[in-house]
């Protein structure tokens, strides 16, 4: 503390903060995806992320379903069916 009361029982504290926001590259093995076809959609993050699942994905401009994500940090994939 400010009065220099040191305690031999406590150790110093070290804190590391990651200020870099992860990026994600989204790719597909097929474009365009036509009716009756499927495509594998891959999400590759620049670093490990927490809490990424299907509820975090919002598709616009079309209709289809995305199967449950599989994979482990930092790469996930799922099958898209239009």
């Amino acid at each position: 503390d400010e009065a220099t009361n040191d305690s031999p029982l406590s150790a110093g504290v070290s804190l590391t903060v990651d200020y870099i926001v992860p990026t994600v590259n989204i790719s597909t093995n097929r474009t365009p995806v036509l009716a009756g076809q499927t495509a594998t959609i891959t999400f590759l993050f620049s670093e490990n992320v927490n809490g990424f699942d299907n509820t975090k994905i919002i598709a616009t401009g079309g209709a289809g379903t995305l199967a449950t994500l599989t994979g482990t940090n930092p790469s996930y994939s799922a099958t898209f069916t239009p």
Side-chain angles (χ1 to χ4, degrees), residues 3-55:
T4 66
N5 296 315
D6 292 329
S7 170
L9 300 178
S10 62
V13 175
S14 176
L15 178 64
T16 303
V17 179
D18 180 1
Y19 291 105
I20 300 172
V21 176
T23 59
V24 62
N25 180 39
I26 304 171
S27 61
T28 179
N29 67 331
R30 182 182 302 236
T31 182
V33 185
L34 305 174
Q37 298 177 333
T38 62
T40 300
I41 310 298
T42 301
F43 303 85
L44 179 60
F45 289 89
S46 59
E47 63 182 69
N48 288 353
V49 295
N50 293 319
F52 182 64
D53 59 30
N54 286 61
T55 64

